[in-house]
């Protein structure tokens, strides 16, 4: 692949990425140019996706575009003409895995020089990543980011026919691209993007820079997508956004927010509605009411708290306190009785003292979470928290993580035990990873349930009586 003048590449700029334009977001419809329709014929692709559900949904769009161009899925790496690494930038260890993978693929590409290798997703949105790829990872042919997936056909054509390396990363979001094709990875569960970007700017987080400003998809587009999914036999949708509770706040011409969308989706005929992720300070009464009144909105809520210390929450720019978080949580539990709530917690944020950490443990004790994702703070270049003084040794941070996890696991088990003896509805995903006589699926409260049953039940919602509660899963039998 020819390197063009490095300075003329379209590289990311975090200062530009931080800017928020005020105008309304334009809607653009994707259309595959005739010239790109057949260039993938006879060629195969593989997409390796890392990170969140947003990335998984992007991976499905990339697959959709490639298949429109004639590409077919590869059996494995050996059989691939194109490999796309769809990356995550949320923490350093996520990135380290990808650097390792890129290193491994270097040797592989030496054996198979015709292979086209692309780096996509959140990492290319970071300045230092693109610099490092250009300097040391010469075997990467194509680099693009989260804002220009729709230009994939053009990039592939350039790399294939002009034999030129393509590096094009937009620092700022453009319009919302509709009409994108998708190859969904699941037959009866689907991701549905309802908004993109994030305007919260939590001081530790890279996402507002890698995903741009908050912009909501139109209600009509979302409803049309879900009606189509119902027609195709899908049972469950998960609405995606970095902060779904801010849905509609960017609409200039109408008052239509997340609660309204939930109520409208509840009437589409889809059996199950879930959503990810929420910010506590945008969670409103309308959303809680929609959950209580809707028959298809699952009684499950992922509500990241991040810390239980008011001082740390302020330094994180989270706009709530420990007590106000617990008050919202309480209201949610009262409005939707029995709801299962999970959370995200970061330990070892710069300046976190033992007393701050104790506040987090106390919050966990009082919140009654049904589970949590817990992380050690990871410094992200370009974010405000990367410049904060941090004097807690990593070893102590890891100990805090361990102590926190012990408390979370106890809460997890208590949450599971409340289903003992109850009959729950399980959407059957498939056979268990550990025993092919056993089926596995998720209950309405998002608990993993294993039970003996016929594989013909896969894709159906069945009643299962819970007989055993373990920390990570429930065991039961069909009734
Ligand atoms: N370090 C550690 N954890 C982080 N998260 C986001 N940014 C960081 C960071 N720099 C966590 C938050 C968020 C989840 C998706 O990842 O808990 O909710
Ligand atoms: Fe990151 Fe905060 Fe936005 Fe979540 S709400 S994506 S943690 S900036």
């Amino acid at each position: 692949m020819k390197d063009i003048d490095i300075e003329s590449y379209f590289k990311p700029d975090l200062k530009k990425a931080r800017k928020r334009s005020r105008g309304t977001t334009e809607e653009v419809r994707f259309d595959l140019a005739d010239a790109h329709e057949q260039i993938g014929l006879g060629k195969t692709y593989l997409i390796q996706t890392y990170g969140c559900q947003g990335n998984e949904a992007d991976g499905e769009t990339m697959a959709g575009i490639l298949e429109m161009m004639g590409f077919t899925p590869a059996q494995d790496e050996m059989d691939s003409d194109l490999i796309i690494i769809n990356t995550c930038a949320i923490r350093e260890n996520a990135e380290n895995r990808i650097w390792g993978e890129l290193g491994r693929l270097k040797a592989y590409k030496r054996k198979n020089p015709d292979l086209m290798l692309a780096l996509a997703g959140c990492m290319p949105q970071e300045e230092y990543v693109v610099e490092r790829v250009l300097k040391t990872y010469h075997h990467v042919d194509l680099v693009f980011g989260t804002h220009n997936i729709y230009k994939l056909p053009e990039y592939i054509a350039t790399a294939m026919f002009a034999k030129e390396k393509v590096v094009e990363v937009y620092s700022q979001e453009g319009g919302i691209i509709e009409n994108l094709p998708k190859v969904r990875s699941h037959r009866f569960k689907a991701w549905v993007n309802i908004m993109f970007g994030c305007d919260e700017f939590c001081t530790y987080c890279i996402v507002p820079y890698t995903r741009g400003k908050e912009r909501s998809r139109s209600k009509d587009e979302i409803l049309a997508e879900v009606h189509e999914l119902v027609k195709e036999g899908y049972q469950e949708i998960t609405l995606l956004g970095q902060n779904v509770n801010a849905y509609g706040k960017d609409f200039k011409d109408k008052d239509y927010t997340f609660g309204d969308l939930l109520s409208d989706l509840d009437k589409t005929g889809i059996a199950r509605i879930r959503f990810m992720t929420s910010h506590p300070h945008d969670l409103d009464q309308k959303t809680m009411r929609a959950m209580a009144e809707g028959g298809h909105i699952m009684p499950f809520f992922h509500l990241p708290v991040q810390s239980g210390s008011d001082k740390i929450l302020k330094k994180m720019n989270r706009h709530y306190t420990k007590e106000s978080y617990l008050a919202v949580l309480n209201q949610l539990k009262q409005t939707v009785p029995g709801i299962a709530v999970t959370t995200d917690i970061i330990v070892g944020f710069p300046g976190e003292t033992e007393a701050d950490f104790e506040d987090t443990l106390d919050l966990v004790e009082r919140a009654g979470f049904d589970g949590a994702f817990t992380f050690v703070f990871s410094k992200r270049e370009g974010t405000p928290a990367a410049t904060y003084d941090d004097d807690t040794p990593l070893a102590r941070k890891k100990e805090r993580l361990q102590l926190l996890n012990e408390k979370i696991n106890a809460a997890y088990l208590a949450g599971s035990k409340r289903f003992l003896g109850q009959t729950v509805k399980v959407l059957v995903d498939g056979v268990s990873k550990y025993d092919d006589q056993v089926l596995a699926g998720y209950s309405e409260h998002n608990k993993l349930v294993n039970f003996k049953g016929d594989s013909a039940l896969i894709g159906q919602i069945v009643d299962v009586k819970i007989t055993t509660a373990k920390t990570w899963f429930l065991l039961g039998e069909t009734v």
Side-chain angles (χ1 to χ4, degrees):
M1 217 54 75
K2 278 184 283 186
D3 262 322
I4 54 170
D5 172 18
I6 281 190
E7 287 316 311
S8 65
Y9 285 133
F10 233 94
K11 292 189 272 184
D13 176 337
L14 288 183
K15 275 203 200 79
K16 275 194 205 149
R18 204 186 151 75
K19 289 207 179 102
R20 291 298 184 255
S21 63
R22 289 195 194 286
T24 28
T25 312
E26 197 195 351
E27 201 177 281
V28 186
R29 294 195 80 72
F30 173 82
D31 190 17
L32 187 69
D34 293 348
H36 295 148
E37 247 168 37
Q38 303 199 338
I39 61 180
L41 283 183
K43 298 202 177 296
T44 60
Y45 74 93
L46 189 81
I47 301 172
Q48 289 182 21
T49 293
Y50 297 83
C52 68
Q53 293 87 350
N55 263 17
E56 285 183 31
D58 284 350
E60 293 182 347
T61 301
M62 292 175 202
I65 294 175
L66 293 173
E67 294 199 11
M68 259 181 113
M69 296 169 71
F71 283 89
T72 52
Q75 298 298 323
D76 55 35
E77 196 173 286
M78 306 294 281
D79 163 54
S80 311
D81 297 304
L82 165 68
I83 297 179
I84 300 181
I85 309 189
N86 185 18
T87 62
C88 170
I90 197 89
R91 280 170 294 275
E92 196 182 0
N93 53 7
E95 293 196 345
N96 284 342
R97 275 176 71 196
I98 290 156
W99 291 120
E101 185 58 10
L102 278 181
R104 190 183 65 79
L105 285 168
K106 186 171 198 164
Y108 180 61
K109 181 136 180 190
R110 240 180 257 129
K111 279 190 258 156
N112 182 6
D114 290 335
L115 168 75
M116 218 189 311
L117 181 60
L119 192 71
C122 283
M123 273 175 76
Q125 296 293 142
E126 297 177 285
E127 291 168 10
Y128 93 94
V129 168
V130 173
E131 297 296 343
R132 185 165 163 188
V133 169
L134 289 175
K135 220 159 142 194
T136 30
Y137 294 82
H138 298 285
H139 59 298
V140 176
D141 305 302
L142 227 162
V143 181
F144 60 99
T146 56
H147 301 312
N148 52 350
I149 294 171
Y150 68 99
K151 289 186 76 177
L152 192 51
E154 208 179 286
Y155 301 151
I156 289 178
T158 307
M160 262 167 78
F161 303 125
K163 300 269 178 234
E164 262 174 23
K165 189 194 280 286
V166 178
V167 178
E168 190 159 303
V169 180
Y170 298 165
S171 300
Q172 284 186 295
E173 66 290 326
I176 288 187
I177 318 294
E178 290 295 353
N179 202 36
L180 284 164
K182 273 185 180 294
V183 174
R184 299 199 188 259
S185 48
H186 206 286
R187 273 187 299 124
F188 43 87
K189 301 206 292 198
W191 310 118
V192 177
N193 285 116
I194 62 164
M195 62 185 301
F196 304 96
C198 181
D199 289 348
E200 290 295 334
F201 288 101
C202 301
T203 54
Y204 50 82
C205 187
I206 195 73
V207 170
Y209 306 82
T210 61
R211 293 269 165 187
K213 84 162 182 174
E214 260 169 30
R215 52 222 192 270
S216 305
R217 274 182 86 193
S218 86
K219 154 198 171 187
D220 294 341
E221 290 288 347
I222 298 169
L223 284 169
E225 182 173 344
V226 175
H227 280 299
E228 195 55 40
L229 289 167
V230 172
K231 252 196 254 158
E232 290 169 17
Y234 280 81
Q235 297 266 35
E236 181 175 297
I237 53 167
T238 301
L239 310 176
L240 296 182
Q242 301 302 336
N243 174 13
V244 290
N245 296 95
Y247 175 81
K249 293 194 172 165
D250 55 325
F251 292 150
K252 302 266 185 312
D253 51 345
K254 54 183 170 293
D255 178 18
Y256 187 86
T257 55
F258 188 55
D260 300 305
L261 181 66
L262 281 180
S263 301
D264 281 341
L265 288 170
D266 193 50
K267 299 176 202 124
T268 54
I270 192 82
R272 289 180 156 199
I273 302 170
R274 298 187 185 280
F275 50 86
M276 279 267 195
T277 288
S278 297
H279 191 299
H281 97 112
D282 282 318
L283 170 54
D284 58 11
Q285 300 272 353
K286 207 192 246 179
T287 300
M288 297 189 210
R289 269 203 312 275
M291 292 187 79
E293 288 162 12
H296 305 285
I297 306 163
M298 295 297 101
F300 172 80
F301 214 110
H302 185 64
L303 194 63
V305 66
Q306 313 297 2
S307 170
S309 150
D310 289 349
K311 181 190 91 192
I312 297 297
L313 286 169
K314 197 161 192 275
K315 279 182 88 177
M316 288 176 160
N317 192 32
R318 291 289 293 179
H319 310 288
Y320 55 83
T321 61
K322 176 187 186 185
E323 293 305 325
S324 70
Y325 177 90
L326 286 167
V328 172
L329 181 65
N330 215 4
Q331 217 175 2
L332 183 61
K333 288 187 174 187
Q334 269 169 12
T335 316
V336 191
I339 191 168
V341 180
T342 59
T343 199
D344 289 346
I345 298 173
I346 298 175
V347 297
F349 186 82
E352 183 188 73
T353 61
E354 294 303 319
D356 294 320
F357 177 60
E358 287 297 327
D359 275 335
T360 298
L361 292 181
D362 180 61
L363 176 127
V364 168
E365 196 112 299
R366 289 167 60 194
F369 290 123
D370 271 77
F373 296 108
T374 55
F375 314 100
V376 171
F377 167 75
S378 169
K379 204 172 173 168
R380 305 285 62 216
E381 208 175 289
T383 63
T387 64
Y388 297 170
D389 285 341
D390 189 359
D391 50 13
T392 310
L394 183 61
R396 181 59 197 145
K397 293 187 181 190
K398 288 186 176 167
E399 280 167 12
R400 286 184 192 162
L401 186 71
Q402 177 69 26
L403 289 167
L404 175 63
N405 284 343
E406 281 165 21
K407 249 202 189 354
I408 292 288
N409 292 350
Y412 209 128
L413 183 60
S416 294
K417 279 191 171 157
R418 67 195 165 104
F419 295 101
L420 270 176
Q422 287 188 24
T423 297
V424 300
K425 294 205 176 299
V426 177
L427 172 55
V428 186
D429 271 339
V431 291
S432 156
K433 269 190 275 184
Y434 308 103
D435 183 346
D436 60 9
Q437 301 294 305
V438 171
L439 299 177
Y442 284 86
S443 72
E444 295 188 327
H445 294 81
N446 212 32
K447 296 278 178 192
L448 176 61
V449 181
N450 288 325
F451 61 100
K452 284 217 162 90
D454 194 300
S455 61
L457 293 175
I458 293 172
Q460 294 185 32
I461 295 173
V462 296
D463 284 333
V464 179
K465 185 164 182 196
I466 302 305
T467 53
T468 309
K470 300 276 187 195
T471 306
W472 312 113
F473 60 93
L474 302 169
L475 294 176
E477 43 203 41
T478 44
V479 287

